[in-house]
Amino acid sequence: MIKEKLKLIKSGKLSAVDNVKGFIDKIKRENKKMNIVLHVNGDAVEQARVVDEKIKKGKTGKLAGLGFLVKSNINVEGLIANCGSRTLENYKSTYDATVIKKLLSEDAVVLGMANMDEFACGASGENSAFGVCVNPAAKSRVPGGSSSGAASGVAAGFCDFALGSDTGGSIRNPASHCGVVGMKPSYGMVSRYGLVDMAMSFDQIGPLAEDVAGCEVVFDVIKGKDDNDAVSRDFVEASSSKDLKKMKIGVLNMSADPRIWELVTNRIKEVKGDKWKVTSFNLGHVDLGIQTYYPIVYVEFFSGTRKFDGRKYGLNIDEVGGKEVLRRIIGGGEISKAEFAGKYYRRALKAKKIIADEFEKAFEKFDFIILPTVPKLPHKVGKRLSLDDEYDYDALTVLANLAEVPAISVPVGFVNDKGEEVPVGLQILGARGSDEGLLGVAKVFEGEE
Ligand code: GLN
């Protein structure tokens, strides 16, 4: 756990070098079989040595000596940000993303770059051009995606925390499948500068860790307005002052595996305080989440990938991209062409606004909204799915991206499925800007697993 680890490092009981070297050695020993880390930072131990020097001089950063993994679509100077794609296979970053700058300035150390679905398109981890990674919590199952390596890396004990990106669930989905905590901040809360776009009106960077407190210390460092990202801003915290003993909780009725719902409702009962008001409710258009999300993603992804034509960066994506990436490029191109009729993209933007307004109204009634993170258990690696079945994984996570609100997934237990214990996550949504309050309430919901 990060907080305890920080105490050990700050008190001198554990050196940054020993912490970082411990992770690097473990990665070197175990990663061949797990395929979680695509590139190890060869300078990590040396960087930890510098941190130890600073600690000796009494200049200790907030995250001094912690080791972290970075999803391969976030730029770290000198490391390969291949986005899980052959297109950028050898692309070495020339600069640090804002989030990386902030973490390094608090003396955290990058351990390496984590596996992911190609260009963050996917919900299983199987769309990586470098092969799927192992889900350490349920070995026959997919780890989830697209931040597959970030979640698996935390679950495998390869790092203190990891950074992922979430466009429609890519932090929360693998967190749920791997039994760890993953948080998507409010849109605009964390700078996207240095993140390779998937769909820019949804993308957010966020932390994954073993517990909520771990996500909290990282979030605290990476949040905030950045002049390099025009949509980033400082939010006035809406609900950090919420009295956790007296809360109005809405449980959003959505369809999901009954075994998952059972874990979620049981946890609510377990933690419910005397003065909590828990109400189950419906929202009008949330069933259209997937149909609203994908047309927007296709168009923005199509537009964002035009720079990968092989002239400036890597290879031509249209020639070497995987199946899902090409589907979105071709689909996005077609939708853009048909756009003079305002049929798809503009319609989807209208639907997005309707859904966002519905959530805004719901947050006038409730402090927080709860639902499962993912509607079904992760499938076995290699199982063929229809496109509908693939996209269905996102039905409960895209809502927070459409509404631009913060959301977090915390482990809620396991379902025994065909003889295997499979982790399940509970999802909590807060009003836009209430990220700190959300972390507070998430601590109440996290169990002992
Ligand atoms: N699974 C969703 C998609 O493929 C979400 C991906 C993400 O959040 N990056 O679009």
Side-chain angles (χ1 to χ4, degrees):
M1 303 292 167
I2 289 186
K3 284 224 157 139
E4 289 69 30
K5 180 73 81 66
L6 276 172
K7 271 188 208 142
L8 289 177
I9 296 176
K10 286 181 181 166
S11 66
K13 290 197 182 107
L14 174 70
S15 69
V17 165
D18 284 346
N19 187 41
V20 166
K21 194 166 178 315
F23 286 131
I24 296 284
D25 290 347
K26 189 173 166 71
I27 291 169
K28 286 193 173 150
R29 268 195 323 270
E30 297 173 18
N31 190 53
K32 261 206 186 81
K33 275 196 212 128
M34 307 194 81
N35 199 25
I36 290 170
V37 181
L38 297 178
H39 291 278
V40 173
N41 176 14
D43 297 330
V45 176
E46 198 36 52
Q47 288 163 0
R49 219 179 294 283
V50 176
V51 172
D52 278 332
E53 289 302 317
K54 281 176 87 178
I55 295 175
K56 269 190 217 134
K57 288 186 193 139
K59 285 190 213 143
T60 315
K62 281 188 200 153
L63 304 174
L66 296 184
F68 68 108
L69 287 174
V70 182
K71 188 175 181 177
S72 292
N73 59 352
I74 299 173
N75 283 285
V76 181
E77 189 177 344
L79 297 186
I80 305 265
N82 60 30
C83 294
S85 178
R86 296 274 171 223
T87 312
L88 295 173
E89 195 162 10
N90 302 310
Y91 177 69
K92 207 181 249 182
S93 301
T94 54
Y95 70 108
D96 283 329
T98 298
V99 286
I100 300 296
K101 261 198 197 131
K102 289 185 165 188
L103 292 169
L104 297 186
S105 76
E106 293 296 344
D107 296 336
V109 176
V110 176
L111 299 167
M113 304 302 287
N115 205 344
M116 60 181 283
D117 283 306
E118 186 172 15
F119 283 103
C121 298
S124 70
E126 291 178 303
N127 292 344
S128 167
F130 306 102
V132 67
C133 62
V134 170
N135 177 344
K139 297 218 167 62
S140 80
R141 314 279 168 145
V142 294
S146 63
S147 310
S148 49
S152 300
V154 172
F158 277 12
C159 55
D160 288 306
F161 66 92
L163 286 183
S165 69
D166 191 310
T167 310
S170 278
I171 290 176
R172 291 159 286 155
N173 166 304
S176 171
H177 291 336
C178 294
V180 302
V181 180
M183 178 209 189
K184 179 201 90 76
S186 298
Y187 186 69
M189 180 65 90
V190 174
S191 168
R192 294 167 306 129
Y193 180 66
L195 168 71
V196 179
D197 296 326
M198 202 278 247
M200 47 276 217
S201 68
F202 294 132
D203 297 334
Q204 266 297 279
I205 293 174
L208 296 100
E210 266 179 299
D211 61 357
V212 177
C215 285
E216 192 174 34
V217 289
V218 177
F219 171 71
D220 203 47
V221 170
I222 61 175
K223 71 177 181 194
K225 181 174 162 47
D226 174 17
D227 289 340
N228 286 324
D229 176 0
V231 300
S232 74
R233 62 181 168 101
D234 292 320
F235 286 82
V236 182
E237 174 65 28
S239 62
S240 54
S241 59
K242 284 256 148 69
D243 178 359
L244 293 180
K245 290 199 187 99
K246 224 169 145 188
M247 278 198 299
K248 284 179 269 160
I249 300 280
V251 182
L252 181 58
N253 251 324
M254 297 285 294
S255 119
D257 185 325
R259 296 169 299 176
I260 294 178
W261 261 121
E262 194 184 329
L263 286 172
V264 169
T265 39
N266 283 348
R267 178 60 55 86
I268 297 172
K269 273 186 214 140
E270 277 162 35
V271 302
K272 182 176 177 309
D274 294 342
K275 291 192 182 135
W276 282 27
K277 198 162 177 272
V278 180
T279 321
S280 148
F281 76 111
N282 295 304
L283 273 185
H285 293 83
V286 285
D287 289 340
L288 294 177
I290 300 272
Q291 289 88 331
T292 307
Y293 168 81
Y294 274 98
I296 299 176
V297 163
Y298 273 40
V299 169
E300 292 186 8
F301 185 67
F302 166 70
S303 141
T305 52
R306 295 308 79 205
K307 60 181 168 286
F308 302 119
D309 58 4
R311 285 186 292 186
K312 195 163 176 203
Y313 310 104
L315 303 172
N316 187 340
I317 194 170
D318 297 352
E319 283 162 16
V320 300
K323 199 174 80 192
E324 184 58 29
V325 157
L326 293 182
R327 186 193 333 273
R328 294 180 192 209
I329 289 174
I330 294 165
E334 287 304 313
I335 295 175
S336 307
K337 268 190 234 152
E339 204 42 43
F340 58 87
K343 253 191 188 156
Y344 303 104
Y345 184 64
R346 261 175 284 167
R347 254 205 181 164
L349 287 179
K350 272 189 202 153
K352 174 183 190 263
K353 174 89 173 62
I354 292 172
I355 292 174
D357 288 347
E358 285 176 352
F359 271 98
E360 207 176 312
K361 281 225 175 74
F363 282 118
E364 285 167 13
K365 275 200 258 160
F366 305 117
D367 297 317
F368 296 98
I369 291 174
I370 292 185
L371 68 164
T373 306
V374 187
K376 51 190 179 178
L377 299 176
H379 59 269
K380 298 219 166 173
V381 174
K383 184 179 174 202
R384 280 182 167 258
L385 298 185
S386 69
L387 190 60
D388 281 348
D389 281 346
E390 253 176 60
Y391 286 1
D392 273 352
Y393 273 113
D394 307 320
L396 311 183
T397 45
V398 294
L399 302 174
N401 304 76
L402 289 164
E404 304 187 1
V405 302
I408 190 165
S409 177
V410 296
V412 73
F414 296 83
V415 167
N416 187 300
D417 187 57
K418 302 184 186 101
E420 189 173 25
E421 292 291 328
V422 184
V424 166
L426 170 149
Q427 190 183 193
I428 314 171
L429 273 55
R432 190 166 180 201
S434 73
D435 302 49
E436 277 160 34
L438 179 72
L439 287 158
V441 75
K443 284 186 196 154
V444 178
F445 277 92
E446 77 182 325
E448 294 298 310
E449 303 89 6

